[in-house]
Amino acid sequence: MAGITDEIRAQLVQKAIAAREKAYAPYSKFSVGAAVLGTDGKIYTGCNIENVSYGMTMCAERTALFKMVSEGCTEFEAIAIVAGDNVTDGAPCGACRQVMGEFAESLSGTEVILASLNGDYIVETVASMMPYPFVKFRPQED
Ligand code: THU
């Protein structure tokens, strides 16, 4: 969707930075924050949530996306992610990219904003982050 302005991107980045403060990461000590703009116009935030049984850990991106879906919105226009001093420190894992593919309003248009703690960011898309996603059984076409 066109219409994501620099102002909205900066707002999402600041929300992701704030959400990162809530990270529960006593094992890796690696905090991640995410902020998702749903097509309902609301912003959903998330942080990573670890567990002593390490495999139970949930990433920040999926926390935010699942919060959105659980609140009744199943498509998003943009997601901002922040982890560290470099914009690529928060580059999403493969599982999160797959989930982004499920809920992206448009694979080629939905923005993935990779941000640093000082507010710098680069803009990618769900499609650029994951070429040839598995979408065969997705309900809607892009
Ligand atoms: N993590 C995220 O939150 N998002 C990602 O895309 C990659 C990794 C978290 C999971 C774990 O708590 C920590 O970063 C180290 O892997």
Side-chain angles (χ1 to χ4, degrees):
M1 147 93 90
I4 303 291
T5 62
D6 282 344
E7 191 180 357
I8 292 170
R9 292 184 186 103
Q11 186 186 7
L12 289 172
V13 169
Q14 290 310 313
K15 293 265 190 190
I17 290 171
R20 179 180 169 278
E21 293 296 319
K22 301 285 196 296
Y24 178 76
Y27 307 105
S28 73
K29 304 195 188 314
F30 186 74
S31 297
V32 186
V36 171
L37 176 62
T39 53
D40 61 357
K42 295 182 185 167
I43 294 173
Y44 299 88
T45 61
C47 60
N48 53 326
I49 304 168
E50 298 186 344
N51 192 278
V52 62
S53 177
Y54 295 173
M56 300 301 102
T57 291
M58 180 52 61
C59 294
E61 299 92 319
R62 277 176 291 157
T63 300
L65 288 164
F66 291 161
K67 281 172 68 179
M68 177 188 80
V69 175
S70 70
E71 294 296 322
C73 180
T74 56
E75 292 189 340
F76 73 104
E77 295 181 24
I79 182 170
I81 310 157
V82 62
D85 293 332
N86 300 307
V87 294
T88 52
D89 286 347
C93 76
C96 289
R97 295 179 198 215
Q98 180 67 29
V99 172
M100 287 178 203
E102 185 74 24
F103 299 116
E105 181 188 39
S106 147
L107 294 175
S108 59
T110 295
E111 294 190 2
V112 179
I113 301 161
L114 302 178
S116 71
L117 284 169
N118 68 15
D120 294 339
Y121 62 81
I122 59 171
V123 182
E124 292 287 342
T125 66
V126 172
S128 72
M129 295 297 286
M130 192 171 70
Y132 303 105
F134 180 69
V135 292
K136 186 167 178 59
F137 304 112
R138 255 188 66 155
Q140 69 270 25
E141 287 296 311
D142 280 297

